[in-house]
Amino acid sequence: MVVRAGREFLAIPGPTTMPDEVLRAMHRPALDIYSEEMVQLSDGLLRDLSRLFATKGKSYIYIANGHGAWEAVLSNVLSRGDKVLVLESGRFAVGWGNAAAAMGADVEVLKGDWRRAVRPAEVEARLRQDKDHKIKAILVAQIDTASGVCNDIEAIGTAIKSTGHPALFLVDTVASLGCMPFEMDAWGIDVAMSGSQKGLMTPPGLSFCAANDRAQEIHKKANLRTPYWDWTEREGTEHYRKYGGTAPIHLLFA
Ligand SMILES: Cc1ncc(COP(=O)(O)O)c(C=O)c1O
């Protein structure tokens, strides 16, 4: 016989436990999505997200899981055939790279090991070989969940900077944002993405990305852009476009 007392805590490689305050925040009627209150809610959340990523750059909210935000980042800054360097340390950065390949990027995996973090010196050496700057973006996960590897994003950022290579530095923080330090601007990250269901302890279903000015410049010429993910589409004066359509009101309350 199994006896259970108290509430059940999720401890799985997936969504985390939601606090009662978060659950209660959703238990109310929907807002009018065309109201000033809705605009205030979005503005506040977008500001808070940029603060959480520690960037002066803009943040975006998607009705999607982490896989969606991967696609959001790639489609906004890449063009067909762009070379992308994936820093392997487990399943997730490689999964992000597979998405890039399926979308038409030319993906190279910098071989790593599931039992150790990415070595910044190896990233530096590979970039120094790329004299023609063919590599347009570098993908890495801060915590590569399936292997449990924690990458030193600051050190990788320093290694990239030391080469003077212009590739965009793109970081997956799905399993780390809100759990450990993350300093997007200070560490030289151009675009960061995350999800709602882990460190933020809110329901699965939202994902986020933040982009600095350099990424926004490259975005203007990126040809993998599609309407739902497109940052420019979300900048319009019409608030409705901030979510590419109807706002996910209750997930925002959470
Ligand atoms: C580091 C990392 N990246 C991406 C994902 C994919 O996120 P999702 O399952 O929300 O699509 C996960 C999921 O656990 C993850 O841990």
Side-chain angles (χ1 to χ4, degrees):
M1 188 177 87
V2 177
V3 179
R4 286 202 173 116
R7 71 175 297 163
E8 190 151 329
F9 277 92
L10 265 186
I12 55 168
T16 58
T17 293
M18 286 181 271
D20 287 340
E21 295 91 314
V22 171
L23 294 172
R24 279 197 300 268
M26 289 184 285
H27 199 87
R28 53 180 278 207
L31 277 181
D32 171 354
I33 61 167
Y34 308 105
S35 66
E36 181 54 27
E37 210 181 340
M38 183 73 227
V39 174
Q40 298 292 331
L41 176 64
S42 302
D43 287 353
L45 289 169
L46 292 170
R47 254 198 319 274
D48 288 350
L49 277 171
S50 291
R51 193 174 330 138
L52 197 57
F53 281 115
T55 182
K56 292 201 171 70
K58 285 194 180 125
S59 290
Y60 301 89
I61 299 173
Y62 295 101
I63 305 164
N65 55 21
H67 283 72
W70 277 351
E71 214 163 306
V73 174
L74 299 169
S75 63
N76 272 292
V77 296
L78 292 182
S79 291
R80 202 164 304 284
D82 275 358
K83 192 171 179 72
V84 170
L85 183 67
V86 172
L87 311 183
E88 184 187 19
S89 61
R91 179 194 188 99
F92 283 101
V94 171
W96 195 5
N98 290 342
M103 291 166 71
D106 171 16
V107 174
E108 174 183 325
V109 177
L110 185 71
K111 197 82 195 86
D113 190 313
W114 281 43
R115 284 171 298 178
R116 65 161 173 82
V118 170
R119 292 181 175 138
E122 291 176 5
V123 179
E124 183 179 332
R126 178 64 191 91
L127 292 180
R128 288 198 192 281
Q129 280 171 4
D130 183 36
K131 299 214 182 323
D132 303 336
H133 295 166
K134 290 237 161 50
I135 297 169
K136 300 298 178 206
I138 300 163
L139 309 186
V140 70
Q142 186 174 21
I143 296 277
D144 212 320
T145 318
S147 60
V149 164
C150 172
N151 287 305
D152 186 341
I153 302 299
E154 183 177 15
I156 297 170
T158 304
I160 295 169
K161 197 163 173 209
S162 75
T163 65
H165 195 292
L168 289 173
F169 187 24
L170 315 180
V171 180
D172 171 329
T173 72
V174 170
S176 51
L177 194 72
C179 307
M180 57 192 302
F182 185 75
E183 296 288 336
M184 178 165 153
D185 290 352
W187 295 351
I189 297 153
D190 296 293
V191 188
M193 54 72 63
S194 198
S196 52
Q197 75 272 25
K198 286 190 165 67
L200 304 189
M201 303 177 86
T202 60
L206 293 184
S207 55
F208 318 106
C209 66
N212 70 8
D213 290 348
R214 215 162 74 90
Q216 297 282 0
E217 262 321 291
I218 289 170
H219 162 75
K220 289 182 191 159
K221 295 194 205 112
N223 73 16
L224 284 183
R225 288 162 56 176
T226 54
Y228 179 73
W229 305 117
D230 196 311
W231 295 335
T232 302
E233 291 281 331
R234 284 162 184 257
E235 299 296 345
T237 49
E238 201 188 349
H239 182 265
Y240 187 73
R241 303 296 332 157
K242 288 251 174 304
Y243 299 96
T246 303
I249 308 165
H250 288 82
L251 296 181
L252 299 174
F253 288 159

